[in-house]
Amino acid sequence: MSLLNITEWLKQANETFVEIAKNIKNLKGTINNKVDKEAGKGLSEQNFTKQEKDKLKSLSNKYLGNYASFEALCAAYPETETNAQKWNPSKEGGFYADVDEGKGKKVSRYIWDSNDFTWTKQEGTSAALTASQIKEMYESNANTNAFTDKEKQTVNTVEKDIEYLKNVRIGTRNLLYAGKCEKEKLFGSIADNGSISTSTDTIYTDFIEVKDYKKVTVKVWEKPLTGYAALAFYDKDKKFIKKVDFNGNTYTESTVDIPANTLYLRISTPRPLTKKGKYKVEFGDKATDYTPAPEDMEIQEQEEINIGAVNLLKNSTNYKNWSNRNAAQITDEKYLDTTVYKVIRDYSAMSYQKKNIQGLKKGVDYTFSFYCKTIQDTSKMDGELYVYGATNSGSKIVDINKLTQEWQRFSITVKFDNSANNDPLFRVESRVNVTSGILFAALQLEEGNRATSYAPSYQDFVLDFQTEDPLNVYQEALK
């Protein structure tokens, strides 16, 4: 080996020794940082602390197993404080067990209640509800009914209609009192300046208060032969504001705005008596069915009432010279200072000779009235009370079952006709036997279509008091 080769070899050997020294140093560091293995342990970075190990041990000891029934669980670990003392003397909580009653049965978990010393079934979680289930459960509560799309559309339409109706004003009362105009001779028409022009073929109303209405509607229910209706508006001082004419055929309906500052209006129309025509004028913007004005209805009712107020039946207090038909019985009882008579069979009555009714006129309204009561309950009986002597066949007054054991007054309006000539007795009779009896008193017949308070005939006083003024005696009797 030459000297040159030895030098190169030494150089390479020195580099090798240096590398060996480094490896030895690194090996010593690794050895110094090693973890010594302990018996029963493995090498891990996730070691339990003692506290965690104790807790884990405690948990594993709390599970008491799986049982075939709840009774079996209670047999192994009894409830009540006394029994639990045997298996849980420290009264610890957290014990749990499972109960599986077999195939097809869900496992139930029971938790020990250390305060009440009982097993409590743990409530499980349910599966997520479907949309239809949620809807059904929600709508089962009060006031949660759902609408279909069609129903929603209907509701929306109704809401719009309601909003519209809020602005509708309906008066219904007819403001045109044609009958009153005729009776009070309010003949004339409204001129263009709001004044009244004389005319015998036109009627007009007085000032009618408008109040808070904004519109007025006129409907022609029957077109007059000539002429037309008109309205005139006036302010608070009854100064003329405006006139509106209404030309139209039958059933023409017109609505006009009431001018601002209007407090009164007047109406004129053709006179119904001479020019025909029929109108209804009412506040609001909707025409309603025809009705007469309230003022006209009062006039009509007054004209229809015809009161005679004179009892045409002489001796109605004691039935002197009356005919006893079919064993009617005069009693000692009095009612309204008149003698009471009783009937116990059908077609029995105290009857008045029709020929003795002074001034009797055929075809004229007469009202017959009387007081009546029963002795026994007749509410279950069939039959009627009839008045005879006005018409040949008689006229029904009232059903027997409507009578009571208290005095009641009944009346009927009749007309005497030619067919009654063969029946000379005027009377009220029962068409059924009432063995206990029906009582009658204070019979009265008077001209007219309304019964007035009972009073004896003035003829009774003329006969009994020849020396006194009959009118004074009669008036005294009425007091």
Side-chain angles (χ1 to χ4, degrees), residues 344-357:
I344 60 175
R345 52 156 295 181
D346 56 347
Y347 301 103
S348 175
M350 294 302 297
S351 304
Y352 192 80
Q353 291 285 340
K354 192 167 56 180
K355 66 182 180 180
N356 293 333
I357 302 176

Side-chain angles (χ1 to χ4, degrees), residues 233-451:
F233 301 96
Y234 305 82
D235 66 10
K236 62 182 180 63
D237 297 319
K238 299 183 179 178
K239 293 182 179 180
F240 176 70
I241 297 176
K242 181 181 179 182
K243 178 189 175 187
V244 180
D245 294 326
F246 296 88
N247 294 307
N249 296 316
T250 300
Y251 304 126
T252 299
E253 178 182 330
S254 305
T255 299
V256 296
D257 293 324
I258 296 175
N261 301 323
T262 297
L263 191 61
Y264 299 100
L265 65 78
R266 302 182 88 167
I267 309 166
S268 68
T269 68
R271 184 180 173 188
L273 191 64
T274 59
K275 296 296 182 180
K276 307 301 180 183
K278 186 177 180 181
Y279 295 86
K280 184 173 185 181
V281 182
E282 55 192 313
F283 290 123
D285 55 4
K286 292 294 178 184
T288 59
D289 290 342
Y290 179 81
T291 53
E295 296 87 345
D296 290 351
M297 295 175 69
E298 291 177 5
I299 292 173
Q300 183 179 3
E301 184 176 353
Q302 291 171 1
E303 290 177 348
E304 289 177 351
I305 296 176
N306 178 17
I307 299 177
V310 175
N311 193 348
L312 301 176
L313 303 180
K314 187 170 59 175
N315 296 326
S316 61
T317 60
N318 56 19
Y319 315 110
K320 183 180 179 181
N321 298 325
W322 284 44
S323 299
N324 188 325
R325 178 179 169 87
N326 292 328
Q329 301 174 13
I330 303 296
T331 73
D332 295 330
E333 185 178 348
K334 295 280 188 179
Y335 184 71
L336 296 180
D337 292 327
T338 68
T339 300
V340 175
Y341 75 85
K342 180 172 73 171
V343 298
I344 60 175
R345 52 156 295 181
D346 56 347
Y347 301 103
S348 175
M350 294 302 297
S351 304
Y352 192 80
Q353 291 285 340
K354 192 167 56 180
K355 66 182 180 180
N356 293 333
I357 302 176
Q358 293 189 0
L360 184 64
K361 294 170 283 189
K362 294 181 175 61
V364 174
D365 284 338
Y366 287 89
T367 298
F368 174 57
S369 59
F370 58 93
Y371 286 85
C372 179
K373 72 175 184 177
T374 59
I375 296 176
Q376 71 180 59
D377 181 12
T378 58
S379 61
K380 305 297 184 181
M381 294 185 64
D382 294 326
E384 307 87 13
L385 293 184
Y386 266 68
V387 61
Y388 290 93
T391 60
N392 196 38
S393 58
S395 300
K396 176 183 172 181
I397 304 173
V398 64
D399 291 317
I400 293 292
N401 57 26
K402 301 298 182 184
L403 304 182
T404 69
Q405 292 170 279
E406 300 293 333
W407 285 108
Q408 296 181 85
R409 195 183 195 196
F410 299 96
S411 65
I412 184 172
T413 299
V414 296
K415 287 182 172 65
F416 288 84
D417 58 31
N418 292 327
S419 65
N421 287 337
N422 60 355
D423 192 347
L425 299 177
F426 184 78
R427 63 202 182 276
V428 56
E429 292 180 354
S430 169
R431 284 193 172 182
V432 63
N433 290 332
V434 182
T435 56
S436 61
I438 304 176
L439 304 180
F440 295 90
L443 280 67
Q444 180 164 284
L445 179 68
E446 56 192 310
E447 185 176 342
N449 57 10
R450 293 288 188 279

